[in-house]
C-alpha cells in the first residue's frame, strides 16, 4: 500500500478548542472527516488527555496514531535546558529516555487493549541542540530506543528547525545532516521493504520525520522542506511528512517565522485567513512527490481566531485535507 492509498492523519490537538464540551464536539466532527487517525501529543504527566476517560471519549477505536513527544520536550526544556535525547549529560539524557518510555507504554497498552497496533510511529527529537547536545549522544539514545518493544510502532526522529547563525531559531535542535548521521550510526533505514513500496513499522528501523513548517522556518522559505524530504528519502530514512505551514509575515498566528502551525493557503474560503502561508497546493504536491511511496502523511494546523467555533475549525481541517487529496490525485 502506498501513501497515496492511506488516508492522512490529522494533528487535531493543535486545532481543538479547550472547553471540554466543545472539544468533544470537535472530535465528533473529526470522526466524519476522511482521516486515518491522529497525530497524538504526549504531554507532560498529569495532562487531561492522558486520562483513559479523555481518550475513550475523543479517540475513535479505528484510528491509527502518530505519537509526538514534542509537547513534553518543550515543556521540559522550559525548566531543564540541558534535557533531551541528544544531551551530552547522561542524567539529562536519561530523563528524556524516561519520557519516551511513556510513549512506549502507551503504544503497548493500546495494542493490548485493542488487539492490534494502534500507534504506527513515535516521533522523538534531537533536543537540546548543539548547546548541551551532540550527534554522538543522540546516536546512543537512538540505539537504546531501537531495542525497545514499541508494539509495532516505528521510531521516527522529527526534524525541527536547527540552530542557526543567521537568525534566532525557534527550536534550535541538531541539523538534518547530524540527525541523518546519528540514524546511520545505529544502522537505521529500510529493511524488508518490497519493490512495491509496502512497509510495516515492525519491518523497518528508525527513520526521519519532516515537519514542513519547521523546515521552512529553518530555511526561511518553501524550498527547504522539499530539500529535507528529498534528503531523507534519498537516504532511505523518510518515515513521515507532517504538513504544517509557516510564513515570513506577521499574522493572526503570531510573528513572522513562528512555529504556530498556520494552515495552508488555497481557494477554499475556509483558508482565506491563512493567505500568507507559504504552504499551498503547489507546495503540498511537490512535497508529496518528493516523499515518494510508503510514507505517513499528517496535517497539523491551528485555527484563528482562538475562539473560533467548532464548524469553523472543522471547515479549515476539511479544506487542508482536500489539498492532500488533490495532490495525490494529480500524482496518479
Amino acid at each position: 500500500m502506498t501513501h497515496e492509498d492511506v488516508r492522512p492523519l490529522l494533528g487535531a490537538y493543535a486545532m481543538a478548542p479547550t472547553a471540554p464540551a466543545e472539544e468533544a464536539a470537535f472530535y465528533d466532527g473529526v470522526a466524519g472527516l476522511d482521516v486515518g487517525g491522529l497525530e497524538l501529543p504526549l504531554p507532560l504527566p498529569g495532562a487531561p488527555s492522558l486520562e483513559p476517560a479523555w481518550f475513550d471519549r475523543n479517540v475513535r477505536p479505528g484510528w491509527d496514531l502518530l505519537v509526538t513527544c514534542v509537547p513534553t520536550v518543550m515543556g521540559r526544556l522550559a525548566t531543564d535546558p540541558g534535557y533531551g535525547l541528544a544531551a551530552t549529560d547522561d542524567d539529562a539524557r536519561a530523563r528524556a529516555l524516561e519520557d519516551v518510555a511513556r510513549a512506549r507504554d502507551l503504544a503497548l497498552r493500546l495494542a493490548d487493549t485493542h488487539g492490534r497496533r494502534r500507534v504506527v510511529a513515535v516521533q522523538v527529537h534531537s533536543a537540546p541542540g548543539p548547546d548541551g547536545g551532540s550527534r554522538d549522544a543522540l546516536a546512543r539514545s537512538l540505539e537504546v530506543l531501537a531495542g525497545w518493544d514499541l508494539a509495532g510502532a516505528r521510531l521516527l526522529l522529527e526534524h525541527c528547525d536547527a540552530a542557526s547563525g543567521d537568525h534566532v531559531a525557534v527550536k534550535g535542535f541538531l541539523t538534518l545532516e547530524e540527525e541523518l548521521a546519528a540514524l546511520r550510526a545505529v544502522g537505521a533505514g529500510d529493511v524488508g521493504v518490497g519493490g512495491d513500496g509496502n512497509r510495516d513499522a515492525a519491518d523497518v528501523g528508525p527513520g526521519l520525520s519532516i515537519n514542513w513548517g519547521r523546515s521552512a522556518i529553518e530555511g526561511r522559505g518553501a524550498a527547504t522542506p522539499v530539500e529535507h524530504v528529498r534528503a531523507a528519502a534519498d537516504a532511505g530514512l523518510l518515515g513521515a511528512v507532517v504538513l504544517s505551514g509557516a510564513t515570513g509575515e506577521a499574522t493572526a498566528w503570531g510573528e513572522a517565522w513562528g512555529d504556530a502551525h498556520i494552515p495552508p493557503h488555497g481557494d477554499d474560503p475556509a483558508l482565506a485567513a491563512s493567505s500568507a502561508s507559504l504552504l499551498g497546493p503547489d507546495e503540498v504536491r511537490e512535497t508529496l512527490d518528493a516523499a515518494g511511496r510508503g510514507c505517513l502523511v499528517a496535517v497539523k494546523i491551528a485555527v484563528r481566531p482562538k475562539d473560533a467555533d467548532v464548524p469553523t475549525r472543522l471547515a479549515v481541517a476539511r479544506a487542508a485535507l482536500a489539498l492532500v487529496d488533490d495532490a495525490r490525485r494529480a500524482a496518479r
Side-chain angles (χ1 to χ4, degrees):
M1 183 176 291
T2 71
H3 82 270
E4 288 86 357
D5 303 314
V6 177
R7 290 178 294 168
L9 308 178
L10 180 67
Y13 77 98
M15 62 186 313
T18 56
E22 293 183 355
E23 181 185 56
F26 171 74
Y27 279 100
D28 283 343
V30 170
L33 300 177
D34 188 23
V35 297
L38 304 178
E39 184 192 34
L40 189 74
L42 181 76
L44 292 170
S49 59
L50 295 175
E51 298 173 0
W54 184 96
F55 196 92
D56 293 342
R57 181 172 64 249
N58 295 312
V59 181
R60 299 300 181 267
W63 282 344
D64 287 332
L65 304 171
L66 171 65
V67 173
T68 176
C69 295
V70 75
T72 286
V73 171
M74 300 312 297
R76 297 294 193 205
L77 288 172
T79 58
D80 185 4
Y83 166 98
L85 294 177
T88 52
D89 179 87
D90 287 342
D91 290 339
R93 197 164 60 84
R95 291 193 292 274
L97 287 167
E98 289 173 1
D99 277 326
V100 182
R102 295 194 295 118
R104 174 201 62 196
D105 293 346
L106 174 64
L108 289 168
R109 177 174 61 82
L110 291 175
D112 183 64
T113 299
H114 295 270
R116 71 172 185 90
R117 181 188 65 176
R118 292 293 309 278
V119 177
V120 293
V122 174
Q123 294 184 117
V124 299
H125 304 81
S126 62
D131 293 335
S134 74
R135 180 196 68 187
D136 291 343
L138 175 63
R140 289 195 294 274
S141 293
L142 292 174
E143 186 172 10
V144 171
L145 296 174
W148 286 4
D149 178 5
L150 297 178
R154 188 179 187 188
L155 181 71
L156 295 178
L157 181 61
E158 183 186 29
H159 180 67
C160 297
D161 69 304
S164 171
D166 298 327
H167 56 263
V168 177
V170 178
K171 297 288 192 293
F173 296 162
L174 297 184
T175 65
L176 184 73
E177 292 74 17
E178 290 171 315
E179 292 171 346
L180 288 171
L183 286 164
R184 292 190 190 100
V186 298
D190 297 338
V191 293
V193 181
D196 60 355
N198 291 345
R199 305 181 185 210
D200 186 276
D203 296 330
V204 294
L208 201 74
S209 172
I210 300 297
N211 182 298
W212 197 98
R214 290 170 182 158
S215 289
I217 290 166
E218 177 180 326
R220 293 301 197 247
T224 306
V226 177
E227 292 170 0
H228 285 177
V229 167
R230 285 185 178 137
D234 288 346
L237 291 169
L238 184 65
V241 171
V242 180
L243 296 169
S244 183
T247 178
E249 301 178 23
T251 66
W253 283 262
E255 296 300 317
W257 303 120
D259 189 10
H261 315 306
I262 183 172
H265 68 262
D267 293 334
D268 193 299
L271 301 178
S274 54
S275 60
S277 178
L278 293 174
L279 180 64
D282 291 343
E283 291 74 23
V284 170
R285 184 164 50 251
E286 186 179 12
T287 300
L288 295 185
D289 286 347
R293 299 188 296 173
C295 178
L296 289 170
V297 177
V299 174
K300 178 159 69 176
I301 50 180
V303 176
R304 296 293 184 273
K306 290 185 177 181
D307 62 353
D309 59 22
V310 169
T312 297
R313 296 172 190 272
L314 293 172
V316 173
R318 189 176 295 107
L321 291 165
L323 294 186
V324 176
D325 288 341
D326 290 345
R328 286 171 163 173
R329 282 195 292 270
R332 289 187 179 125

